[in-house]
Amino acid sequence: MKYKKSPLDIFLQNQIDKNKNLLKQTIDTALQEEQACLEEIIKAIDHCKFNISKCNQLLEGKDISNVSLLSEKKIAFQDNLNIWNMFGHIQMASIEMKQYTKKISMDNDNWSRHENIKAAYTSIYETSKNIIDSTAKVIKFIVSNYPNVDCATLKDKRKELTKFRENNADTLKNIRNTISAHRDEDVTVQIDMIENVHLSDALQLITEYEQILNELGGAVSPIKQLGISRLQSVFGK
């Protein structure tokens, strides 16, 4: 199989080779920090799930003194679960992109590199949809419970992500459905697509997606406090 390399592919590979150790160190440091953040997000998600389950058990009991308050508490924890799930989707996508950047950049075996590029494209296609959906739930939560809170930045970043996904939908879907999650029945179609996947295109797409994720992460960060306020408003009754 002959992988087609553009002049930009060759230039990028030379630059990567010159700075390979620094690139690896930078990515590994970022990954360590982000994986630690993900662990904290998982703890928050588990906490919400535990309390939702506890509320359900009490609501299913025969002797309930305050059904209304328990239901409110359950909804408040569900709102927080949606918030932390959104954080989780963003954080996981960011971690995956860094992992794929590392693998694509460091692996000199063409077949392995293209396997990781295929996986990265599929990840972008699927994680971007999850993030768009999860941010929609959180925006609805803010509008319903905190109408005076300005979430324009979050809406703008969500629109930017949506536009990015739409602009790259054909490429992402073709790779996902032809040589990644699904396989075209014609092997020559698969081979042709694999040979025409360029290193430069992949790194550019991943970099653009990561930039959007970083900006989106900054936009959603203050929402943690809204989740806490939501719980305080219910448990303060």
Side-chain angles (χ1 to χ4, degrees), residues 119-146:
Y121 276 48
T122 300
S123 175
I124 292 172
Y125 181 80
E126 294 176 350
T127 59
S128 60
K129 178 65 164 59
N130 289 336
I131 295 170
I132 290 168
D133 291 345
S134 62
T135 49
K137 291 181 181 179
V138 172
I139 290 171
K140 183 178 180 180
F141 157 76
I142 297 172
V143 172
S144 299
N145 295 278
Y146 299 96

Side-chain angles (χ1 to χ4, degrees), residues 51-196:
N51 283 283
I52 290 170
S53 178
K54 188 175 179 180
C55 288
N56 283 333
Q57 290 174 4
L58 292 171
L59 286 168
E60 291 169 0
K62 295 180 180 179
D63 185 17
I64 303 176
S65 58
N66 198 332
V67 175
S68 178
L69 181 58
L70 274 173
S71 297
E72 284 189 59
K73 288 181 178 180
K74 176 184 174 180
I75 294 171
F77 277 115
Q78 184 62 57
D79 288 336
N80 273 266
L81 179 60
N82 289 338
I83 290 171
W84 286 107
N85 263 324
M86 175 191 66
F87 281 117
H89 283 305
I90 295 171
Q91 192 68 77
M92 284 186 66
S94 180
I95 290 171
E96 286 183 24
M97 291 306 105
K98 288 178 175 61
Q99 290 280 15
Y100 286 127
T101 298
K102 179 180 174 181
K103 292 176 181 178
I104 292 167
S105 301
M106 303 298 165
D107 200 336
N108 290 323
D109 180 80
N110 283 326
W111 188 271
S112 296
R113 171 174 285 171
H114 281 71
E115 284 296 310
N116 283 306
I117 290 175
K118 290 189 298 180
Y121 276 48
T122 300
S123 175
I124 292 172
Y125 181 80
E126 294 176 350
T127 59
S128 60
K129 178 65 164 59
N130 289 336
I131 295 170
I132 290 168
D133 291 345
S134 62
T135 49
K137 291 181 181 179
V138 172
I139 290 171
K140 183 178 180 180
F141 157 76
I142 297 172
V143 172
S144 299
N145 295 278
Y146 299 96
N148 295 325
V149 172
D150 184 7
C151 58
T153 302
L154 174 56
K155 289 180 179 179
D156 287 344
K157 295 305 173 184
R158 182 177 181 273
K159 287 180 181 177
E160 187 177 343
L161 176 58
T162 302
K163 184 178 180 181
F164 166 82
R165 191 171 192 275
E166 290 173 350
N167 289 344
N168 295 285
D170 289 343
T171 299
L172 295 172
K173 283 193 292 186
N174 282 340
I175 288 180
R176 179 182 183 274
N177 295 335
T178 305
I179 56 175
S180 186
H182 304 283
R183 299 294 178 116
D184 194 281
E185 63 180 16
D186 188 336
V187 172
T188 61
V189 172
Q190 294 185 42
I191 297 297
D192 183 63
M193 182 164 287
I194 292 170
E195 289 180 342
N196 285 282

Side-chain angles (χ1 to χ4, degrees), residues 186-230:
D186 188 336
V187 172
T188 61
V189 172
Q190 294 185 42
I191 297 297
D192 183 63
M193 182 164 287
I194 292 170
E195 289 180 342
N196 285 282
V197 173
H198 290 282
L199 170 66
S200 55
D201 293 337
L203 291 179
Q204 180 179 351
L205 189 67
I206 292 171
T207 301
E208 186 179 353
Y209 185 42
E210 268 208 277
Q211 181 63 36
I212 294 172
L213 292 176
N214 288 338
E215 293 176 1
L216 185 58
V220 301
S221 184
I223 299 172
K224 295 175 187 176
Q225 188 56 48
L226 294 182
I228 294 172
S229 298
R230 177 78 175 96

Side-chain angles (χ1 to χ4, degrees), residues 16-79:
I16 290 169
D17 290 341
K18 289 178 183 178
N19 300 281
K20 186 168 289 188
N21 291 336
L22 178 60
L23 178 61
K24 182 179 183 300
Q25 183 180 0
T26 302
I27 294 175
D28 285 344
T29 299
L31 281 171
Q32 188 174 9
E33 293 174 357
E34 293 195 19
Q35 286 166 352
C37 289
L38 182 60
E39 289 300 319
E40 295 304 312
I41 292 171
I42 292 171
K43 289 177 184 178
I45 290 173
D46 288 342
H47 175 74
C48 292
K49 287 182 176 180
F50 172 81
N51 283 283
I52 290 170
S53 178
K54 188 175 179 180
C55 288
N56 283 333
Q57 290 174 4
L58 292 171
L59 286 168
E60 291 169 0
K62 295 180 180 179
D63 185 17
I64 303 176
S65 58
N66 198 332
V67 175
S68 178
L69 181 58
L70 274 173
S71 297
E72 284 189 59
K73 288 181 178 180
K74 176 184 174 180
I75 294 171
F77 277 115
Q78 184 62 57
D79 288 336

